[in-house]
């Protein structure tokens, strides 16, 4: 199970959305830090395309945890990013860099990720990009 999570994050860092999608159950429930739950691979792919347009991010200092029964996992990491294009409702993008802690929680079904919930401190991110 941690192999699936590690593969997902390796693909994230490589900007490889297709491999990320391959790690997901067809009915993935994607709980984003701010916003509505997105269900299904198509919605997840749309989210990834939007994020890739607005942000360039690399996750470092990754630690992955998993339950003994293989149905749940979590990861803690540092988000190292560059704000590329202004995201609606957020401060103006001017190529600012940021670094903040984040975490993701997962449910797995038949070796695929069926839920991912990601958290980071939005106020910290806003402060960092507003200062840049």
């Amino acid at each position: 199970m941690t192999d699936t999570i590690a593969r997902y994050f390796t693909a994230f860092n490589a900007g490889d959305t297709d491999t990320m999608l391959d790690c997901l159950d067809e009915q993935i429930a994607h709980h984003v830090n701010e916003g509505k739950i997105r269900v299904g691979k198509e919605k997840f792919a749309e989210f990834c395309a939007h994020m890739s347009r607005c942000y360039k991010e690399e996750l470092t200092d990754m630690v992955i945890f998993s339950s003994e029964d293989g149905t749940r996992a979590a990861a803690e990491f540092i988000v190292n990013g560059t704000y590329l294009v202004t995201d609606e409702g957020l401060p103006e993008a001017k190529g600012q860099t940021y670094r903040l802690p984040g975490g993701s929680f997962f449910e797995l079904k038949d070796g695929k990720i069926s839920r991912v919930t990601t958290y980071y401190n939005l106020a910290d991110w806003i402060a960092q990009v507003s200062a840049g």
Side-chain angles (χ1 to χ4, degrees), residues 3-131:
D3 292 346
T4 301
I5 305 303
R7 184 172 175 242
Y8 171 87
F9 282 123
T10 298
F12 176 92
N13 280 342
D16 182 356
T17 301
D18 289 340
T19 298
M20 290 175 70
L21 291 170
D22 188 53
C23 295
L24 306 179
D25 182 79
E26 289 298 324
Q27 292 302 310
I28 179 72
H30 182 209
H31 300 240
V32 295
N33 195 60
E34 300 288 327
K36 296 180 181 178
I37 299 168
R38 295 171 173 85
V39 177
K41 283 187 175 184
E42 182 178 331
K43 295 285 186 191
F44 188 90
E46 289 170 4
F47 177 82
C48 289
H50 169 81
M51 293 298 288
S52 293
R53 184 175 63 81
C54 295
Y55 309 92
K56 171 72 175 145
E57 295 181 330
E58 179 182 15
L59 307 180
T60 59
D61 304 302
M62 179 76 57
V63 179
I64 299 172
F65 310 88
S66 64
S67 64
E68 288 184 22
D69 67 1
T71 62
R72 296 228 175 152
E76 184 177 23
F77 44 82
I78 300 294
V79 181
N80 305 275
T82 304
Y83 190 25
L84 303 172
V85 174
T86 302
D87 202 346
E88 185 179 342
L90 295 173
E92 182 181 353
K94 303 174 193 168
Q96 307 94 311
T97 59
Y98 52 91
R99 180 176 165 85
L100 66 155
S104 293
F105 299 91
F106 300 90
E107 286 184 28
L108 290 98
K109 183 173 107 179
D110 300 324
K112 299 281 187 175
I113 298 167
S114 58
R115 176 186 58 86
V116 58
T117 305
T118 300
Y119 293 107
Y120 58 89
N121 185 324
L122 181 60
D124 183 10
W125 180 86
I126 289 173
Q128 289 184 47
V129 300
S130 294

